[in-house]
Amino acid sequence: PLRQGGPVMAKTTERTLDMAGANLRLRIHYPRIDARLPALIYLHGGGFTLFSIDTHDRLMREYASAADVAVIGVDYPLSPDFKYPVALNSITALLSWLADHASTLGIDPGRLAIGGDSAGANLTVAACLKQRDLERPQPQAMLLNYGAFTGRCSDQAEARFGGPNAVLNQAEMLWFYDNYLPDESGYDDPYACPILADLTGLPPALLIVPDQDLLSEQSFVMADHFAAAGVPFETRVYPGATHSFLEAMASAPLAMRAIRDGADWIKTQLQRP
């Protein structure tokens, strides 16, 4: 039901690529037909374990329509069948592939952004870190919707926003990361937990933060790290919103406002080549 309704695209295509030994299914939404559209690469959330480009299809179409960009949805390999760093390596391989092949998709390779929600925001930052460290081109901007930047959530966050009836709680975060990481050493790996990383040299970021979310504390810590690293960033806080609130776009005006905020920011970031 989450994919029903929303904007109608001028064209939608799908293809599957072998990236770093993993199959990536891509779905590309075009709001209009143009030889050189800018694009947002979107990585769905779900704790590295759940969901797909199908569950997030309407969200991607909303971004495509509101930002006037093509949106490339990525079905990356899910845990626990594929442990870290399989998903990350496949996404960084895709970024390198797009640098050479985007124009064949009707996309301007010089105007690419990347983003995602929850685990997808984690993979967004990690992919940009990898590209930076390998001295490969990075996307121009990062859209970070209620990011999961480590599996370790504080007891204070659990007491305020967690518990058995929460949309997301401390125990679930540990379960997701147990699925994702091969072992406990992954909690010290900045590519798996970007909250530990040196963020110097990353592209501008927009942090979308629901204020009733177990993970909101992580977004605020990341904002401090971006500031310390000299990375341009903005933080938008949405009162009363919970984790995954963008998925309520069909019924919640606040979700639609946050989507438009992200789309406007992406559009501005991609206006320059």
Side-chain angles (χ1 to χ4, degrees):
L2 296 177
R3 70 181 295 182
Q4 300 303 313
V8 175
M9 296 289 96
K11 181 174 73 170
T12 296
T13 64
E14 289 197 19
R15 65 187 302 164
T16 300
L17 301 173
D18 183 347
M19 290 291 156
N23 285 331
L24 290 188
R25 183 167 65 118
L26 307 181
R27 179 176 295 156
I28 309 175
H29 291 300
Y30 299 86
R32 57 187 173 87
I33 303 302
D34 191 298
R36 303 281 285 181
L37 274 176
L40 168 65
I41 302 156
Y42 199 81
L43 309 175
H44 67 82
F48 312 102
T49 303
L50 307 171
F51 306 147
S52 68
I53 56 176
D54 294 325
T55 57
H56 284 61
D57 186 81
R58 175 170 175 176
L59 179 58
M60 295 188 294
R61 286 185 283 115
E62 294 285 357
Y63 279 129
S65 177
D68 194 32
V69 299
V71 173
I72 305 170
V74 183
D75 252 349
Y76 53 84
L78 295 178
S79 303
D81 293 333
F82 297 93
K83 294 280 191 177
Y84 168 83
V86 176
L88 176 58
N89 288 345
S90 65
I91 292 163
T92 55
L94 174 64
L95 291 178
S96 295
W97 184 86
L98 284 171
D100 296 326
H101 297 88
S103 57
T104 66
L105 304 175
I107 289 167
D108 183 348
R111 292 190 293 163
L112 292 174
I114 187 170
D117 54 280
S118 198
N122 174 305
L123 291 166
T124 292
V125 177
C128 288
L129 288 168
K130 277 281 189 183
Q131 293 295 97
R132 178 201 67 187
D133 294 344
L134 294 171
E135 299 183 348
R136 295 174 180 167
Q138 296 183 63
Q140 282 182 253
M142 300 184 295
L143 174 63
L144 307 176
N145 295 327
Y146 35 84
F149 302 114
T150 177
R152 290 174 173 158
C153 302
S154 72
D155 291 339
Q156 292 88 345
E158 173 70 2
R160 292 185 67 195
F161 307 122
N165 296 319
V167 174
L168 180 69
N169 61 44
Q170 199 176 48
E172 288 173 317
M173 280 297 295
L174 291 173
W175 181 75
F176 285 136
Y177 265 77
D178 283 346
N179 283 339
Y180 185 51
L181 300 176
D183 53 58
E184 285 286 314
S185 67
Y187 280 101
D188 299 318
D189 184 335
Y191 294 127
C193 297
I195 205 165
L196 304 175
D198 173 7
L199 304 176
T200 305
L202 292 194
L206 175 63
L207 295 145
I208 298 291
V209 186
D211 78 342
Q212 302 294 308
D213 181 11
L214 181 80
L215 300 186
S216 61
E217 63 176 6
Q218 297 188 19
S219 289
F220 294 131
V221 171
M222 288 295 284
D224 290 341
H225 291 347
F226 284 135
V231 175
F233 74 96
E234 294 182 38
T235 303
R236 306 279 180 89
V237 180
Y238 297 86
T242 66
H243 193 74
S244 296
F245 79 110
L246 298 183
E247 294 175 32
M249 68 197 88
S251 58
L254 186 65
M256 287 303 302
R257 190 181 91 197
I259 291 168
R260 287 193 297 270
D261 289 346
D264 289 345
W265 185 84
I266 287 292
K267 188 173 185 177
T268 298
Q269 295 298 314
L270 296 183
Q271 282 177 346
R272 56 183 179 84

